[in-house]
Amino acid sequence: MAKPEDRRHGRCLCGAVTFSALLPEDQFQLCHCKQCQRWTGGGPLTAIRVKDVEVVGQDAIRTFHASAHGERAFCGTCGTTLFWRLQGRSMAFLSVGLLDDQSGLTVGEEIFVDHRPDWLPAWSDAKQHSEAEMQAQLQAFLEANPK
Ligand SMILES: [Zn+2]
Ligand SMILES: [Zn+2]
């Protein structure tokens, strides 16, 4: 596990958005859903859970709702994929590639694996979750964390 004080820094490609965030875990997700494939231009989305995010350049951030619950944030200048979060809730995941320092981080799970493209091999040590499993997890989270 990452230490509670594991605060890391990152930025978008153009530097209009810089941030620091606490990493409560040192494992991150690969999301193979079709939305993430389109959003990243190939995918998967590399998404690490973050807490206590401090952002400089908030004005540069644009958001897009591709689904009923999710919000995708990107830099309005350079288009960098910044983060995915549940609309109006605390759950948030940052793109791992934004971090200046990715040391010690590993792939913990792959999600929406039924949408993984044929050209991309599975991460053999990572937990594997289907779309149906993720939809069930989302419903459970929404019920446990009402707005
Ligand atoms: Zn930018
Ligand atoms: Zn996805």
Side-chain angles (χ1 to χ4, degrees):
M1 293 289 282
K3 296 188 177 72
E5 67 274 22
D6 190 356
R7 178 167 283 277
R8 300 209 189 185
H9 299 263
R11 66 174 181 87
C12 69
L13 186 57
C14 76
V17 180
T18 61
F19 63 87
S20 70
L22 286 179
L23 305 185
E25 300 160 3
D26 54 13
Q27 296 199 326
F28 61 94
Q29 294 179 342
L30 303 181
C31 183
H32 298 290
C33 83
K34 193 62 197 171
Q35 291 180 356
C36 285
Q37 290 180 33
R38 290 207 162 93
W39 196 34
T40 62
L45 182 67
T46 57
I48 192 159
R49 196 180 286 266
V50 286
K51 281 172 48 181
D52 302 330
V53 184
E54 292 174 6
V55 176
V56 177
Q58 193 80 45
D59 292 352
I61 296 178
R62 301 288 175 272
T63 59
F64 180 69
H65 294 178
S67 65
H69 300 292
E71 178 171 76
R72 292 167 187 269
F74 55 97
C75 174
T77 301
C78 68
T80 293
T81 299
L82 296 174
F83 60 82
W84 184 98
R85 69 179 169 200
L86 273 176
Q87 296 170 28
R89 289 184 170 83
S90 59
M91 187 191 283
F93 293 89
L94 186 80
S95 294
V96 170
L98 275 57
L99 296 172
D100 299 332
D101 173 15
Q102 298 182 38
S103 60
L105 306 180
T106 57
V107 176
E109 61 180 352
E110 294 186 85
I111 64 174
F112 289 80
V113 293
D114 30 349
H115 298 279
R116 178 174 39 221
D118 291 344
W119 51 262
L120 188 61
W123 229 261
S124 58
D125 293 338
K127 284 177 265 178
Q128 305 284 312
H129 297 290
S130 68
E131 176 174 6
E133 288 175 283
M134 295 313 295
Q135 296 293 358
Q137 272 188 31
L138 174 62
Q139 285 310 317
F141 181 87
L142 293 175
E143 285 165 24
N145 297 272
K147 270 187 184 171

